[in-house]
Amino acid sequence: MRKKYTIKDIANAAGVSIGTVDRVLHNRGKVSKKALLSVNNALKEFNYKPNPIARTLKNNTVYIIKVLLPDSAKDPFWLPGKEGIEEVMEEYGAFDIDISVHYYNPADSKSFLDIGFGLLGQHIDAFLFVPLFEKESDLLLDELKNKDILTGTFNSFHGGTVDLYVGLDLFMSGRVAAKLMADALKAPSKIALVHIDEESTNAVHLREKERGFRQFFKEMQDYEVITLAIGASGFEQKFAAFIEDEGVGGIFVTTSKVYRIVKALKALGKTKVVVGYDLLEENIKALQSNDIKFLIHQSPKLQASLGLKGLVDNLLLGKELSKKSLLPIQIINSENVESYLY
Amino acid sequence: MRKKYTIKDIANAAGVSIGTVDRVLHNRGKVSKKALLSVNNALKEFNYKPNPIARTLKNNTVYIIKVLLPDSAKDPFWLPGKEGIEEVMEEYGAFDIDISVHYYNPADSKSFLDIGFGLLGQHIDAFLFVPLFEKESDLLLDELKNKDILTGTFNSFHGGTVDLYVGLDLFMSGRVAAKLMADALKAPSKIALVHIDEESTNAVHLREKERGFRQFFKEMQDYEVITLAIGASGFEQKFAAFIEDEGVGGIFVTTSKVYRIVKALKALGKTKVVVGYDLLEENIKALQSNDIKFLIHQSPKLQASLGLKGLVDNLLLGKELSKKSLLPIQIINSENVESYLY
DNA sequence: TTAAAAAATGTGTACGTTAACACGTTTTAC
DNA sequence: GTAAAACGTGTTAACGTACACATTTTTTAA
């Protein structure tokens, strides 16, 4: 039975007290060269790793973590994200952390700023948020850095320096969509790329997907891609006109609002190859009725929970945080969708 | 700042000592009705959760865990599984657990038995293994149950009672493959389903995939599915004869040996729609050169690490173990494969 | 009523790590 | 040459929980 080595074993082996070993471990100085050497030798020999459990025990501060999410009441895409956060809160319920979640209106950059800055009054250890708005996120990030708060973001990649980011390679997801589309449509074909978004908020986000999509087809013959950008409210007329004019065979929707396209197509009595994003309830229905061919799953729940876990594990256990972790791009069709719903 | 409640807070609130609270928490009896009541009230009021960290600290036994895997030298499919185990070992390196990994020959049920039973000489707390062989796994499982050892399995579902299982819904994965195939091949079409397997070992395994595949096409018109079962060694001739005779448009391979089919097809100068399993290096190459249309990813690494983590977390932190957890069925094409390789 | 037995409760120590503190030794400053 | 500062080192009391053991209270029996 392998013995577990403790700081005491190291101290014995090095012929010093645990106090000295501890000072070496934490670079707290006040150690003679001789002691330092023998301690380091012992550490290496036993491949000693401090017990993280005993370590946190001593640390009796309660870490304060704030999470700022887009309100899922405004956009159901954020519902899984909320759930992910709640699961982590439950899981870490017994630890010395105080996580609180706050919501902003994803269609209103002012609400993001108001609520975000509103949270900075008290002492905070870590801040996790979705940087939907670029400029506003910069402002917030500056302030967070100023106050020396650990920062994490997910879903939207933000150029600035955050301590942790979880997300997808959106460009690549565009290529994936393109490949699926090319599989389904014989050349020559015309394909519509549709951005459905009220705000210019998601612009960067959606533009990345478009770049990937177009880049794929640039390498192919006889495919034409045309872009349509419309607001989410009352886009039906515009879309109808668009679809009548252009003889498109497939539609790639860069947001989770694909189901709206499906509905509009049904109203017009048309059938197209539709590819879009995210496992919203309505999208799943359309997938199962074969009105959507593929969905790309952005795993918002996983993104949120990994983000929060990353911050917590860093604070609590001193685990390293991965500056940028990219999740796999998951392809969903009518048959495997169920396996994502457990 | 929210205070973290400890057993001491509960004791104070209930007007008893921490010893009494502890007895209540562990149902160790020797508590008066009155005390029981007031403690339970306090527990509820504060929503008290014992600090799992302080708890394990006290428990100074080293848990012994054995992992028994098919040898990745014999079948590269098991390489990621090995890696997953190693990562978990690294992650939990500082804890009081002693994990050792052992390997059996996936083509030899005797080696499974020999090595498996050979491990049972000393005291063991948990045993994680891949139950490739049904009868032999039953034997081992009986013995494990006898000795009151925590059991976990992954990858192959085994009817018997294990404490934890991680895997895929193989039937559903067959359906997914079928759907992808149907998308790619216009009816009427003939599709070959190929089992490449030396042993009858994987029979149940592969049969499930076949069931799902066939069931999907039963619901469709004008598709015919024919099955070919061949050994892994020297199947080229048989396969060549088969492919000449039958006018198949697509080939679904139920194992990770798809790349062999691709090679054989190339040698024959033929092109088919090929769908198979697993991200072996050679399969990935074939995917990227468009010789394989789709792969289904069984996430062996994740399966292994989730399995081991489940056992460890149960032993160490008393976390519940999920009797049966099914991973999502992941569809891989030439574009998203890279996102799985980080 | 009282002694003994049983039941209920409290106390103390340990787990591994941390960090404040105390102590002894050496160096520095005047 | 002496006082003060600097340095190296060991000791000890926490952190929250668990459990053996000691102590107190209640019940039972004579």
Side-chain angles (χ1 to χ4, degrees):
Chain A
M1 187 189 300
R2 195 187 49 150
K3 205 198 160 317
K4 212 76 249 237
Y5 297 108
T6 73
I7 199 171
K8 210 187 260 174
D9 297 310
I10 304 296
N12 278 339
V16 298
S17 72
I18 59 169
T20 301
V21 177
D22 187 65
R23 275 185 288 270
V24 173
L25 285 173
H26 295 87
N27 288 314
R28 284 199 277 126
K30 312 201 174 186
V31 176
S32 68
K33 269 169 279 178
K34 205 178 72 181
L36 185 75
L37 199 73
S38 63
V39 168
N40 274 330
N41 281 342
L43 287 175
K44 215 174 295 169
E45 187 188 343
F46 292 114
N47 185 28
Y48 170 78
K49 290 176 190 174
N51 185 334
I53 272 175
R55 184 169 269 179
T56 56
L57 191 57
K58 192 69 220 306
N59 181 8
N60 58 349
T61 58
V62 176
Y63 291 109
I64 313 278
I65 302 177
K66 299 288 179 194
V67 180
L68 182 54
L69 296 182
D71 191 350
S72 60
K74 308 281 181 186
D75 184 347
F77 171 69
W78 297 104
L79 204 56
K82 190 183 165 203
E83 286 170 16
I85 299 292
E86 281 162 1
E87 275 186 23
V88 176
M89 286 172 70
E90 179 65 25
E91 187 180 345
Y92 286 82
F95 294 82
D96 274 354
I97 41 173
D98 175 2
I99 304 170
S100 62
V101 196
H102 307 265
Y103 303 96
Y104 66 90
N105 183 344
D108 177 10
S109 63
K110 194 169 167 310
S111 97
F112 171 79
L113 273 186
D114 285 352
I115 301 180
F117 276 89
L119 293 172
L120 302 185
Q122 51 171 309
H123 173 255
I124 293 177
D125 295 287
F127 200 110
L128 177 71
F129 67 104
V130 178
L132 276 190
F133 309 98
E134 217 172 346
K135 267 176 298 179
E136 287 79 359
S137 297
D138 270 336
L139 288 174
L140 184 59
L141 217 50
D142 273 355
E143 191 61 20
L144 290 169
K145 282 284 144 204
N146 242 352
K147 300 203 171 193
D148 223 31
I149 296 172
L150 204 60
T151 54
T153 58
F154 67 96
N155 195 268
S156 315
F157 184 63
H158 182 273
T161 44
V162 290
D163 298 307
L164 168 145
Y165 167 72
V166 182
L168 241 60
D169 184 333
L170 298 174
F171 176 82
M172 194 186 276
S173 82
R175 282 193 61 101
V176 173
K179 168 76 174 173
L180 295 170
M181 193 63 94
D183 279 349
L185 285 176
K186 292 254 173 303
S189 269
K190 206 182 208 179
I191 299 163
L193 185 153
V194 183
H195 300 306
I196 305 178
D197 190 29
E198 207 64 79
E199 306 290 307
S200 63
T201 310
N202 278 312
V204 205
H205 218 79
L206 307 184
R207 208 60 54 74
E208 271 303 289
K209 294 173 180 174
E210 176 167 3
R211 271 213 315 126
F213 194 80
R214 285 185 173 279
Q215 200 229 35
F216 180 90
F217 280 113
K218 213 167 276 171
E219 299 161 10
M220 308 271 291
Q221 303 288 321
D222 296 324
Y223 283 99
E224 189 191 346
V225 178
I226 50 175
T227 298
L228 172 66
I230 32 180
S233 55
F235 75 95
E236 277 76 8
Q237 311 89 308
K238 265 193 210 156
F239 179 69
F242 174 81
I243 222 68
E244 291 297 342
D245 280 4
E246 316 270 356
V248 305
I251 302 176
F252 170 45
V253 185
T254 56
T255 71
S256 62
K257 310 228 190 299
V258 214
Y259 65 94
R260 304 270 307 261
I261 292 287
V262 170
K263 231 193 267 174
L265 281 172
K266 280 236 165 110
L268 296 168
K270 306 234 175 204
T271 310
K272 309 281 174 201
V273 175
V274 179
V275 175
Y277 281 86
D278 305 321
L279 299 186
L280 303 196
E281 214 172 306
E282 276 149 309
N283 289 349
I284 292 172
K285 263 186 226 150
L287 193 68
Q288 285 168 332
S289 62
N290 276 303
D291 294 311
I292 292 177
K293 190 124 202 139
F294 287 104
L295 286 171
I296 291 174
H297 183 30
Q298 308 203 61
S299 318
K301 185 172 169 178
L302 189 61
Q303 286 193 34
S305 64
L306 284 181
L308 185 50
K309 264 191 199 171
L311 293 179
V312 171
D313 284 350
N314 176 265
L315 288 174
L316 227 48
L317 306 175
K319 281 199 193 170
E320 267 182 84
L321 16 84
S322 57
K323 273 243 169 294
K324 185 171 180 177
S325 66
L326 294 177
L327 301 183
I329 293 165
Q330 317 221 29
I331 300 173
I332 315 294
N333 71 7
S334 58
E335 299 306 314
N336 73 339
V337 63
E338 213 183 309
S339 74
Y340 281 86
L341 304 179
Y342 301 136
Chain B
M1 189 190 298
R2 195 187 48 152
K3 203 197 162 319
K4 208 80 249 245
Y5 298 108
T6 73
I7 201 172
K8 209 187 264 174
D9 296 311
I10 304 295
N12 278 340
V16 297
S17 74
I18 60 166
T20 302
V21 176
D22 186 63
R23 276 183 288 270
V24 173
L25 284 173
H26 296 85
N27 287 314
R28 284 199 274 125
K30 311 199 177 190
V31 176
S32 68
K33 270 169 282 178
K34 205 178 72 183
L36 185 76
L37 200 74
S38 61
V39 169
N40 273 331
N41 280 342
L43 287 175
K44 214 173 297 169
E45 187 189 342
F46 292 112
N47 185 28
Y48 171 78
K49 289 175 190 173
N51 185 335
I53 274 178
R55 185 168 269 179
T56 54
L57 192 56
K58 190 69 223 302
N59 181 9
N60 57 349
T61 57
V62 176
Y63 291 108
I64 312 277
I65 302 177
K66 301 287 180 195
V67 181
L68 183 55
L69 296 182
D71 191 350
S72 60
K74 307 281 180 186
D75 184 346
F77 171 68
W78 297 105
L79 204 57
K82 190 182 165 203
E83 287 170 14
I85 298 291
E86 281 162 1
E87 274 185 22
V88 176
M89 285 172 70
E90 179 64 27
E91 186 179 346
Y92 286 83
F95 293 82
D96 274 355
I97 41 175
D98 176 1
I99 303 170
S100 62
V101 196
H102 308 265
Y103 304 96
Y104 65 91
N105 183 342
D108 178 9
S109 62
K110 195 171 166 311
S111 96
F112 172 79
L113 273 185
D114 285 354
I115 301 179
F117 275 89
L119 294 172
L120 302 185
Q122 52 171 310
H123 172 257
I124 293 179
D125 295 288
F127 201 110
L128 177 71
F129 67 104
V130 178
L132 275 190
F133 309 99
E134 216 173 346
K135 267 177 298 180
E136 287 80 358
S137 297
D138 270 336
L139 289 173
L140 184 60
L141 217 49
D142 273 355
E143 191 61 19
L144 290 170
K145 282 285 142 203
N146 241 351
K147 301 202 169 191
D148 224 31
I149 296 171
L150 204 61
T151 55
T153 58
F154 67 95
N155 196 267
S156 316
F157 184 61
H158 182 274
T161 44
V162 290
D163 298 307
L164 168 143
Y165 167 72
V166 182
L168 240 62
D169 184 333
L170 298 175
F171 176 82
M172 194 186 277
S173 83
R175 282 193 61 102
V176 172
K179 168 75 176 176
L180 295 171
M181 193 63 95
D183 279 348
L185 286 175
K186 290 255 173 304
S189 270
K190 207 183 207 178
I191 300 163
L193 184 151
V194 183
H195 300 304
I196 304 178
D197 190 30
E198 207 65 78
E199 306 290 307
S200 62
T201 309
N202 278 312
V204 205
H205 219 79
L206 307 184
R207 207 62 53 75
E208 271 301 288
K209 295 173 179 173
E210 176 167 4
R211 271 214 313 127
F213 194 80
R214 285 187 172 277
Q215 200 230 35
F216 180 90
F217 279 113
K218 212 167 276 168
E219 298 161 8
M220 309 270 294
Q221 304 287 320
D222 296 321
Y223 283 99
E224 189 191 345
V225 178
I226 52 176
T227 299
L228 173 66
I230 33 180
S233 56
F235 75 95
E236 276 77 8
Q237 312 89 310
K238 265 192 211 156
F239 179 70
F242 175 82
I243 221 68
E244 292 296 342
D245 280 5
E246 316 273 356
V248 305
I251 302 177
F252 170 46
V253 186
T254 56
T255 71
S256 61
K257 311 229 188 298
V258 216
Y259 65 94
R260 304 272 306 264
I261 291 287
V262 170
K263 233 193 266 175
L265 281 172
K266 279 235 165 110
L268 297 168
K270 307 236 175 201
T271 311
K272 309 281 174 199
V273 175
V274 179
V275 175
Y277 281 87
D278 305 322
L279 300 185
L280 302 197
E281 214 173 304
E282 276 149 310
N283 289 347
I284 291 173
K285 264 184 226 151
L287 193 67
Q288 284 168 332
S289 63
N290 275 302
D291 295 309
I292 291 177
K293 189 123 201 142
F294 287 103
L295 287 171
I296 291 174
H297 183 28
Q298 307 203 62
S299 317
K301 185 171 170 181
L302 189 61
Q303 285 192 36
S305 64
L306 285 181
L308 185 51
K309 264 190 200 171
L311 294 178
V312 172
D313 283 350
N314 177 265
L315 288 174
L316 228 48
L317 306 175
K319 280 200 196 174
E320 268 182 84
L321 16 84
S322 58
K323 272 242 169 296
K324 185 173 181 178
S325 66
L326 295 177
L327 301 183
I329 294 164
Q330 316 222 28
I331 300 172
I332 315 293
N333 71 7
S334 58
E335 299 306 315
N336 72 338
V337 64
E338 213 183 310
S339 74
Y340 281 85
L341 304 179
Y342 301 136

